[in-house]
Amino acid sequence: MRVLLGLDDDTAVLIRQLACTEPGCPPLETVVVVLPMEGTARRWTLHRPADQITEDDLRNALLATPEQPD
């Protein structure tokens, strides 16, 4: 995420794998949150376990899913 978004070292990137409780959702999902020192936090949810997410998955999430303010 840091490379794909061109983030500086002062911007925090948090990645959390969570159990998904919504009907029809895979058992695990991964939430990526970008927390800049200044500005609005951004969040993306990928419906797969963190250890299965590739750079292409992240790129597709950035292109296909509008970011969600946090």
Side-chain angles (χ1 to χ4, degrees), residues 1 4 13-20 25-33 43-66 68:
M1 284 307 265
L4 292 173
V13 177
L14 304 173
I15 300 171
R16 299 218 38 204
Q17 182 174 281
L18 306 167
C20 185
C25 183
L28 294 174
E29 66 183 9
T30 302
V31 177
V32 178
V33 180
R43 177 175 50 103
W44 295 267
T45 301
L46 294 94
H47 295 285
R48 57 189 323 171
D51 64 352
Q52 294 179 8
I53 293 176
T54 66
E55 185 175 336
D56 285 337
D57 293 329
L58 293 172
R59 187 177 291 110
N60 289 334
L62 293 174
L63 294 173
T65 307
Q68 303 166 4

